[in-house]
Structures are given as structure tokens and as C-alpha cells.
């Protein structure tokens, strides 16, 4: 089992920045690729970004490219999502997820473990 705990969400004005963190415990963190997803009420959970176990490969949704940066520190068992130039449409609950093996990091059903989520609200 892998336990994931997100932190860093909150309320920010449009154009501002937030940094989300996801602390992992349980199995060996470096064995897992990691992802960030977000969900608004009534809609599906969508991928925001993903990162390989080594950190050398990353994926971003088109809507966040150039604004968000995913990273990980395997020594600290933590992954991060730096969010800059935030827009009201970025408002959602953000979830951290881990996958041991995946053919498509953008698919939420490829991930075995999930955090409880953290709310990000961007005001206009």
C-alpha cells in the first residue's frame, strides 16, 4: 500500500501561484510514477501532469503547459506541483496519484493509489 497526503491548496487571486505537495509513505516511492489530477463537481477527473519514477519524463495537459511544473524528490518521498499564472478555470480539487506500472499516465484508471485531495480556488 501507498499512502498519499496532499497539502498546499488554498485561495489565490488570478495570476497568483501555489505549490502543491504530496507526501508518500508505505512502499518504495521511487518505484512509482506519479500524477496530479483535478476534478470539479459534476465532471470527470482529469490529468494535470505526470512524472516518471526517475523524474526524467513528464507529461502536461495542454491547459497547463507553460504554467505548471511537476517535480519529485525521491529522497523526501514527495512530489510537487508548482502552479503559476493561475486562472479561475484552474479551480478544482487536486489529487495526487501513484502508479506502479502504466501504459498511459494521463488515464486516472491507470493509477492504483490516490490522496484525499486538496481544494484550489482561484478568484477573478
Amino acid at each position: 500500500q501507498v499512502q498519499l497526503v496532499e497539502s498546499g491548496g488554498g485561495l489565490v487571486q488570478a495570476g497568483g501561484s501555489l505549490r502543491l505537495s504530496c507526501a508518500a509513505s508505505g512502499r518504495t516511492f521511487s518505484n512509482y510514477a506519479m500524477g496530479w489530477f483535478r476534478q470539479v463537481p459534476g465532471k470527470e477527473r482529469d490529468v494535470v501532469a505526470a512524472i516518471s519514477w526517475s523524474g526524467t519524463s513528464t507529461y502536461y495537459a495542454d491547459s497547463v503547459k507553460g504554467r505548471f511544473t511537476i517535480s519529485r524528490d525521491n529522497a523526501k518521498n514527495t512530489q510537487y506541483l508548482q502552479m503559476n499564472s493561475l486562472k479561475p478555470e484552474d479551480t478544482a480539487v487536486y489529487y495526487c496519484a501513484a502508479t506502479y506500472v502504466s501504459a498511459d499516465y494521463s488515464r486516472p484508471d491507470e493509477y492504483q493509489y490516490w490522496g484525499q485531495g486538496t481544494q484550489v480556488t482561484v478568484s477573478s
Side-chain angles (χ1 to χ4, degrees), residues 23-100:
S25 60
R27 300 277 179 91
T28 304
F29 178 69
S30 59
N31 286 345
Y32 293 82
M34 302 294 295
W36 287 99
F37 291 76
R38 65 187 181 187
Q39 189 171 24
V40 297
K43 293 191 175 182
E44 294 183 348
R45 191 170 295 186
D46 293 326
V47 66
V48 175
I51 188 166
S52 61
W53 66 270
S54 64
T56 56
S57 179
T58 57
Y59 170 91
Y60 294 94
D62 288 342
S63 59
V64 306
K65 282 180 181 177
R67 300 188 298 122
F68 292 10
T69 303
I70 189 171
S71 62
R72 65 188 295 163
D73 185 338
N74 286 345
K76 296 182 177 180
N77 292 345
T78 304
Q79 75 154 342
Y80 306 96
L81 185 67
Q82 178 66 45
M83 304 186 294
N84 298 329
S85 302
L86 282 161
K87 304 175 180 180
E89 51 264 44
D90 294 318
T91 296
V93 177
Y94 283 69
Y95 296 90
C96 169
T99 179
Y100 185 71

Side-chain angles (χ1 to χ4, degrees), residues 9-30:
L11 174 64
V12 64
Q13 288 189 333
S17 298
L18 282 175
R19 188 195 197 201
L20 304 183
S21 298
C22 173
S25 60
R27 300 277 179 91
T28 304
F29 178 69
S30 59

